[in-house]
Amino acid sequence: MVNQYWNAGVTNAREITTELRVLGFTGSVQIVRRYLRPLPPHGDGRRRGPGKSAPTTPAIPKPRQVSRWMLTHPDHLDQDDALGLKTAVSSCEHLERLHSHIRTFATIMKQRRGADLPAWLDADDFPALHTLATGLRRDLDAVINGLTLEHNSGAVEGAVTRIKALKRQCYGRANFDFLRLRILLTP
């Protein structure tokens, strides 16, 4: 939409923001300015007339953006992100296979089906996942137990994190006895 205004000759970010707010845009003028900055100017100052028009097709998403879309739970993607993911996945066979592989692993984790992990590791040959697969195979029994059993060390890890935070707060100010009291008395 911004590109359409730009191509129509509206180059003032405030005017474009005002038009976008009518359509429901809640961002600031600064966001529109940052978006307009790399677009080609409508005249270079030496020649009269418009310059090149801004692209009307959406930009190709960055790899980091596609990764975020793939690793985010589908229910937590907004409509634009879901459409971007669908477009990216449908345009590349490798991304489609990778996305399916990621969703399968998410199912294994969520439904505690650790016994399916060896089949998942052997299912597709993704060179980028070889390091991950090698690390998982190194201690496969422990990983399968972690993905299968409901027991975990979350409570212990939480307590350790709390104690480390208290220790950082007391560093250089108190002796060990005071730290011990804080650990015992802080909920």
Side-chain angles (χ1 to χ4, degrees), residues 36-186:
L36 293 176
R37 196 171 294 140
L39 294 181
H42 280 293
D44 61 3
R46 292 178 285 160
R47 289 178 278 158
R48 292 182 178 243
K52 289 184 353 187
S53 61
T56 55
T57 59
I60 297 171
K62 305 277 189 235
R64 180 174 287 195
Q65 183 70 34
V66 176
S67 298
R68 187 183 69 78
W69 291 339
M70 291 177 116
L71 295 174
T72 301
H73 191 282
D75 294 342
H76 298 143
L77 289 173
D78 63 15
Q79 190 175 9
D80 293 336
D81 290 346
L83 181 63
L85 175 63
K86 184 178 179 183
T87 304
V89 167
S90 65
S91 65
C92 178
E93 174 189 336
H94 299 291
L95 282 180
E96 190 172 345
R97 281 185 27 230
L98 181 61
H99 182 63
S100 172
H101 206 58
I102 290 169
R103 291 286 109 222
T104 305
F105 186 74
T107 303
I108 290 171
M109 283 185 6
K110 186 173 182 181
Q111 297 177 358
R112 296 187 188 272
R113 295 187 347 215
D116 296 346
L117 186 64
W120 180 83
L121 290 171
D122 297 330
D124 269 320
D125 188 32
F126 293 106
L129 295 178
H130 283 251
T131 306
L132 172 68
T134 302
L136 291 176
R137 283 189 182 104
R138 209 172 280 142
D139 200 5
L140 190 60
D141 292 335
V143 174
I144 289 173
N145 285 337
L147 290 173
T148 305
L149 302 175
E150 60 198 41
H151 309 292
N152 61 47
S153 61
V156 174
E157 292 296 330
V160 168
T161 303
R162 182 181 65 84
I163 290 171
K164 286 182 178 182
L166 291 171
K167 181 180 172 186
R168 280 192 297 274
Q169 289 173 356
C170 292
Y171 182 77
R173 297 186 202 161
N175 59 15
F176 179 75
D177 295 329
F178 181 69
L179 174 63
R180 181 177 178 275
L181 280 174
R182 284 215 46 198
I183 290 171
L184 293 176
L185 298 177
T186 303

Side-chain angles (χ1 to χ4, degrees), residues 1-13 16-17 19-20 23 25 31-37 39 42 54-56:
M1 193 58 131
V2 175
N3 289 350
Q4 291 173 355
Y5 288 124
W6 182 263
N7 291 338
V10 180
T11 58
N12 187 334
I16 293 174
T17 305
E19 295 292 329
L20 291 176
L23 300 172
F25 178 67
I31 292 172
V32 176
R33 278 194 189 117
R34 277 192 219 121
Y35 180 81
L36 293 176
R37 196 171 294 140
L39 294 181
H42 280 293
T56 55

